[in-house]
Amino acid sequence: MADEAPFQFLHNELIQYISKSTENPETEHGRNITKLENMGFRVGQGLIERMTKDTARFKDELDVMKFICKDFWTCVFKKQIDNLRTNHQGIYVLQDNKFRLLSQLSAGKQYLELAPKYLAFTCGLVRGGLSNLGVKSIVTAEVSIMPACKFQVMIQKM
Amino acid sequence: MADEAPFQFLHNELIQYISKSTENPETEHGRNITKLENMGFRVGQGLIERMTKDTARFKDELDVMKFICKDFWTCVFKKQIDNLRTNHQGIYVLQDNKFRLLSQLSAGKQYLELAPKYLAFTCGLVRGGLSNLGVKSIVTAEVSIMPACKFQVMIQKM
């Protein structure tokens, strides 16, 4: 029994609930994505606060990103990010080859359009986590072949 | 870092979201509780299905209840139910002395009235799990001293 299952099932229910409680799913799609993103943001803030309360101060931005890829990802998804790349100018790409919140969807192309709903919460999660560590960012996600997934983090210099 | 934290934070967000999206919180309190209960029901169904796909058939009702108290509870809350009692006539009382979804609330009496919101999802969770094992039930919860909590399961004979 996978440890992340309760979280996964609850996340699915949340998506269903938000979609259903919308009167015009077509026009309000964007708003629902924002709602999910905001919820992820607050969960990310809470989690990172609890996770880092006894850790040493981070050396730099890259050190923060490594923490997100390893400890933070493992806490939520029970696995690490498979690949972290950066252009050393504030853009980071986090690749998860088997992203847990997509692994329940069929890998066929016909479901690719549903992917944004399943990624919005996690984009917020990363943004919220980073935000509480003092790193302001914009996080977007893209899927080419399910369940692999890339999260792009653009650091906003302050 | 507690393993159940992502689930706990997400559960809190869900409660906040449902409360906020309600226009008249006073009058619709009951409806919101029902929504949470229903979501728990579906999560419980999904979880138990996945957990029991390779287990042996259960001997009897008590055997099912023990599975709920041990394996099912551990999967979701990372601890077992502390005490299981029954009158052997279809009523079971599951006591959790440190219920994780309440442990973030202050133990003072002033928050006792908030407890139903934090218990509804789990009542549904138990009912959904039992339902998928062929046991129809009514599940209610009560709190006397936070974060201890009792779930009462009344089996509905079919």
Side-chain angles (χ1 to χ4, degrees):
Chain A
M1 182 61 187
D3 264 347
E4 79 286 2
F7 178 81
Q8 205 177 66
F9 279 105
L10 183 52
H11 178 261
N12 282 352
E13 275 305 312
L14 179 68
I15 291 176
Q16 297 305 323
Y17 178 75
I18 291 187
S19 303
K20 272 188 200 158
S21 64
T22 304
E23 282 171 21
N24 303 308
E26 297 282 312
T27 55
E28 292 190 33
H29 178 71
R31 253 182 74 189
N32 288 346
I33 296 285
T34 307
K35 281 181 195 166
L36 285 166
E37 215 268 349
N38 284 335
M39 291 171 89
F41 184 81
R42 285 187 298 271
V43 171
Q45 282 189 311
L47 278 177
I48 209 88
E49 191 172 314
R50 206 188 281 185
M51 287 181 79
T52 56
K53 73 180 163 59
D54 299 319
T55 56
R57 185 178 282 268
F58 294 104
K59 276 204 310 263
D60 52 20
E61 204 178 88
L62 185 61
D63 207 26
V64 169
M65 291 309 300
K66 282 182 184 165
F67 185 82
I68 297 284
C69 294
K70 288 186 185 170
D71 305 67
F72 188 69
W73 216 257
T74 304
C75 171
V76 184
F77 302 113
K78 313 302 166 201
K79 74 184 281 296
Q80 297 186 9
I81 281 286
D82 296 297
N83 191 292
L84 169 66
R85 280 182 304 158
T86 177
N87 68 352
H88 298 287
Q89 294 186 339
I91 294 185
Y92 296 85
V93 177
L94 288 65
Q95 181 165 338
D96 188 332
N97 294 330
K98 197 172 177 234
F99 183 53
R100 293 292 156 92
L101 299 181
L102 288 176
S103 61
Q104 297 302 305
L105 295 182
S106 164
K109 273 188 185 165
Q110 72 268 42
Y111 295 116
L112 217 50
E113 62 184 72
L114 290 177
K117 277 209 297 196
Y118 288 83
L119 299 173
F121 180 87
T122 307
C123 287
L125 199 69
V126 174
R127 192 170 64 88
L130 286 172
S131 153
N132 250 26
L133 296 177
V135 179
K136 207 178 156 197
S137 64
I138 295 173
V139 181
T140 53
E142 62 169 77
V143 179
S144 40
I145 304 166
M146 298 232 229
C149 177
K150 279 181 192 167
F151 294 90
Q152 179 173 308
V153 180
M154 289 167 63
I155 309 294
Q156 306 294 96
K157 296 287 169 203
M158 276 178 279
Chain B
M1 179 64 185
D3 265 346
E4 79 285 1
F7 179 80
Q8 206 178 66
F9 279 106
L10 184 52
H11 177 262
N12 283 354
E13 275 304 312
L14 180 67
I15 291 175
Q16 297 306 323
Y17 178 75
I18 291 187
S19 304
K20 270 189 205 162
S21 63
T22 305
E23 281 171 22
N24 303 307
E26 296 282 312
T27 55
E28 293 189 28
H29 179 71
R31 254 181 74 189
N32 288 346
I33 296 285
T34 307
K35 281 180 197 168
L36 285 166
E37 216 268 348
N38 284 336
M39 290 172 89
F41 184 80
R42 285 187 299 271
V43 172
Q45 283 190 311
L47 278 178
I48 210 89
E49 192 173 311
R50 206 190 278 188
M51 289 182 77
T52 55
K53 73 181 164 59
D54 298 319
T55 57
R57 185 179 281 268
F58 293 105
K59 277 203 312 262
D60 52 20
E61 202 176 270
L62 185 61
D63 207 24
V64 169
M65 291 308 300
K66 282 182 185 166
F67 184 82
I68 296 284
C69 294
K70 288 185 185 171
D71 304 68
F72 189 70
W73 216 257
T74 304
C75 171
V76 184
F77 302 113
K78 313 302 166 201
K79 74 181 284 294
Q80 297 186 9
I81 279 287
D82 295 298
N83 190 290
L84 169 66
R85 281 182 302 158
T86 176
N87 67 350
H88 297 289
Q89 294 186 338
I91 293 185
Y92 296 84
V93 177
L94 288 64
Q95 182 167 338
D96 188 332
N97 294 331
K98 195 172 178 231
F99 184 53
R100 294 291 158 94
L101 299 181
L102 289 178
S103 60
Q104 297 301 308
L105 296 182
S106 163
K109 273 187 182 166
Q110 72 268 40
Y111 295 116
L112 218 50
E113 63 184 70
L114 290 177
K117 278 209 295 194
Y118 287 83
L119 299 173
F121 180 87
T122 307
C123 288
L125 200 70
V126 174
R127 193 169 66 86
L130 287 171
S131 153
N132 249 25
L133 297 176
V135 179
K136 208 179 154 193
S137 65
I138 294 173
V139 182
T140 53
E142 61 170 77
V143 180
S144 41
I145 304 167
M146 298 231 226
C149 176
K150 279 181 191 171
F151 294 91
Q152 180 172 306
V153 180
M154 291 168 62
I155 309 293
Q156 307 294 97
K157 295 290 174 207
M158 276 178 280

